[in-house]
């Protein structure tokens, strides 16, 4: 009886292995594996040290870039500054970069709702147009204190790049 039970168990296990080996190839599984491969490939193709996030660089409200800071930006090879502050806001007094030889773009956004305010939608589009030109890298972007607007753009960069 023990031998018979052993044989039945062996037969049942063999049938189970056959079922597992013949499991259907699900398209969703294939698509998921392709997505994983694509994400891994994207991570491998993404160059590092091309986009920097900071607070404002301007002399507004006693914020100054020191000589050492300017040298560090030069060492990093910064070519482009994207200013996310609203150009109509009272804290924006300068529409140029304090960094020598750096192209300045004001892609102004308000601190209001990012998705529905027309000026924000335009600012986001302008910022990504600047980022779409490989000649603008390495670049840095900022708002007044480097949290909300820069955080939102950082989130979008992480989603799309």
């Amino acid at each position: 009886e023990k031998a018979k039970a052993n044989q039945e168990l062996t037969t049942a296990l063999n049938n189970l292995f056959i079922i597992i080996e013949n499991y259907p190839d699900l398209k969703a599984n294939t698509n998921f594996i392709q997505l994983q491969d694509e994400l891994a490939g994207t991570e491998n193709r993404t160059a590092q040290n091309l986009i920097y996030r900071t607070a404002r660089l301007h002399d507004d409200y006693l914020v100054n870039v020191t000589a050492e800071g300017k040298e560090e930006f030069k060492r990093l090879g910064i070519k482009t500054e994207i200013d996310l502050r609203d150009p109509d806001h009272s804290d924006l007094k300068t529409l140029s970069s304090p960094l020598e030889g750096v192209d300045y773009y004001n892609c102004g956004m308000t601190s209001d709702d990012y998705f529905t305010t027309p000026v924000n939608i335009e600012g986001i589009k302008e910022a990504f147009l600047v980022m779409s030109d490989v000649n603008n890298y390495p670049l840095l972007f900022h708002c007044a204190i480097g949290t909300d607007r820069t955080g939102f753009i950082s989130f979008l960069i992480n989603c799309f790049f």
Side-chain angles (χ1 to χ4, degrees):
E1 250 181 72
K2 190 174 183 180
K4 183 179 178 188
N6 233 355
Q7 182 59 39
E8 288 174 1
L9 179 60
T10 301
T11 302
L13 286 175
N14 284 336
N15 287 338
L16 178 63
F17 288 133
I18 290 170
I19 290 170
I20 291 171
E21 289 174 0
N22 289 328
Y23 193 76
D25 181 26
L26 298 177
K27 295 297 179 204
N29 186 42
T30 302
N31 291 342
F32 182 74
I33 290 170
Q34 287 173 341
L35 176 61
Q36 283 180 315
D37 290 343
E38 179 62 31
L39 290 175
T42 300
E43 289 172 2
N44 293 335
R45 288 189 307 267
T46 302
Q48 299 296 309
N49 301 322
L50 292 179
I51 300 177
Y52 298 90
R53 169 185 170 182
T54 186
R56 66 179 157 229
L57 302 176
H58 302 276
D59 294 337
D60 307 335
Y61 295 105
L62 305 176
V63 175
N64 293 303
V65 180
T66 64
E68 293 84 10
K70 289 179 181 180
E71 282 302 313
E72 181 64 15
F73 284 122
K74 187 182 283 186
R75 186 189 70 72
L76 294 171
I78 301 298
K79 293 181 180 177
T80 306
E81 173 188 350
I82 299 174
D83 187 344
L84 300 172
R85 294 178 294 168
D86 183 352
D88 295 329
H89 197 272
S90 61
D91 78 337
L92 184 60
K93 298 174 184 164
T94 309
L95 285 173
S96 62
S97 181
L99 304 174
E100 197 172 307
V102 171
D103 293 328
Y104 175 87
Y105 297 89
N106 179 265
C107 303
M109 296 172 62
T110 67
S111 55
D112 296 331
D113 181 35
Y114 296 123
F115 291 113
T116 60
T117 308
V119 68
N120 290 346
I121 294 168
E122 286 305 308
I124 292 166
K125 286 188 333 191
E126 289 174 29
F128 277 87
L129 279 173
V130 172
M131 288 183 222
S132 69
D133 184 348
V134 296
N135 297 311
N136 290 330
Y137 288 90
L139 63 81
L140 65 88
F141 64 98
H142 65 86
C143 60
I145 59 174
T147 57
D148 298 331
R149 288 168 280 199
T150 55
F152 182 70
I153 294 296
S154 294
F155 169 77
L156 292 177
I157 289 170
N158 286 321
C159 287
F160 298 120
F161 288 131

